[in-house]
Amino acid sequence: MKEAKTQVNKVLNKLIPLYAHVPIGIKYVTPFQLVVGVILSAQCTDERVNQVTATFFDDFQTAQDFAQLSQAKLEKMIKPTGFFRNKAKNILGAANMILHDYQGVIPNSMKELIKIPGFGRKTANVILARLYEINEGVCVDTHVMRLSQRLRLTKHKDPIRIERDLMAITSQKHWETLSHCLIWHGRKVCKARKPNCTECVLNKICPFAPAPFAGSSV
DNA sequence: CTCCCGATAT
DNA sequence: ATATCAGGAG
């Protein structure tokens, strides 16, 4: 716990200068387009999500716009992002629920957001932080999970416990920054398959870094 | 735990 | 061939 706090402070000091001013990867204009982008981003790169959404975001902007689509047509539109049946069903379900239960306004609490089909804590955290500047938790995606384990910010493997650990060792104002930085660093440097420890600014404090670096020799 | 799933890197 | 990508539901 104490060690993890010290560690996460070092991590933030190193990563904030690199990534704090980098915008989020998912491109969107309207609030519901962010909802669509986040749903599509499950197990799919932001790059591909943007490539796909660019083909129809001009024509579809609000929950009302998307609610008018048929399941089949929406599936075709989003197919390259994978899981296209589930994602299409979730987008239509979300559009209809927001339209009918929330008067077209996306809810601003975790409690309400996770009632929406396809919304777990990670998705809800992104929506809350981006649309309302509310931080009820830390976004834990595949990158945050991997880097948290490599840097020993947690000893757990499941997203819920990892989120709880990250919330415990950082102040709330840093929650969004932490996940944002870990995600970008995970993409660019601390990659799942071939981590570039040689050029990593964390290699001296990272237990996962191989022999030449300080991390592994502790 | 398994399943959903296409596209890319290794 | 296999692992991976801003996950969530059953």
Side-chain angles (χ1 to χ4, degrees):
Chain A
M1 180 62 178
K2 185 86 190 311
E3 292 82 0
K5 276 192 181 180
T6 309
Q7 178 75 338
V8 78
N9 284 333
K10 290 179 185 172
V11 170
L12 282 170
N13 285 335
K14 289 289 187 183
L15 296 187
I16 284 175
L18 296 180
Y19 306 112
H21 300 292
V22 178
I24 70 163
I26 297 166
K27 291 180 182 171
Y28 66 99
V29 176
T30 71
F32 193 77
Q33 286 179 343
L34 176 62
V35 169
V36 173
V38 177
I39 290 174
L40 295 181
S41 71
Q43 295 296 290
C44 180
T45 61
D46 281 354
E47 196 179 344
R48 185 158 306 284
V49 171
N50 293 335
Q51 186 180 323
V52 165
T53 56
T55 66
F56 59 80
F57 267 2
D58 282 346
D59 297 321
F60 298 90
Q61 302 188 355
T62 65
Q64 201 158 20
D65 294 338
F66 282 92
Q68 291 172 356
L69 281 163
S70 70
Q71 169 81 20
K73 188 172 181 186
L74 185 53
E75 282 180 7
K76 277 189 181 178
M77 291 161 56
I78 66 172
K79 195 160 191 176
T81 67
F83 299 159
F84 58 89
R85 295 185 188 87
N86 284 336
K87 287 175 180 176
K89 184 149 51 82
N90 290 338
I91 289 168
L92 290 177
N96 280 298
M97 188 176 291
I98 288 166
L99 208 53
H100 299 120
D101 296 352
Y102 300 101
Q103 290 76 46
V105 180
I106 298 165
N108 63 351
S109 75
M110 176 68 69
K111 185 172 180 293
E112 297 301 318
L113 282 172
I114 60 179
K115 292 179 183 173
I116 297 173
F119 274 57
R121 287 191 60 86
K122 181 260 159 184
T123 301
N125 275 325
V126 175
I127 300 294
L128 287 172
R130 297 302 308 179
L131 294 186
Y132 301 113
E133 298 179 7
I134 293 171
N135 293 281
E136 294 199 18
V138 178
C139 298
V140 178
D141 73 326
T142 180
H143 297 297
V144 174
M145 206 177 309
R146 183 178 67 255
L147 270 68
S148 296
Q149 288 165 352
R150 286 181 176 174
L151 290 163
R152 288 192 198 159
L153 304 179
T154 181
K155 61 178 181 179
H156 292 295
K157 287 186 168 182
D158 60 296
I160 299 291
R161 289 182 183 177
I162 292 174
E163 181 179 4
R164 201 176 56 206
D165 283 348
L166 295 178
M167 290 167 73
I169 62 175
T170 52
S171 64
Q172 188 177 15
K173 64 175 181 177
H174 285 134
W175 289 353
E176 190 192 2
T177 306
L178 177 63
S179 57
H180 179 82
C181 287
L182 290 180
I183 287 163
W184 275 106
H185 196 62
R187 272 189 180 169
K188 299 295 184 185
V189 180
C190 191
K191 292 179 281 190
R193 275 204 176 180
K194 221 180 81 179
N196 191 355
C197 299
T198 306
E199 295 185 17
C200 179
V201 296
L202 303 176
N203 59 16
K204 286 181 170 49
I205 62 167
C206 182
F208 188 78
F213 306 106
S216 59
S217 60
V218 174

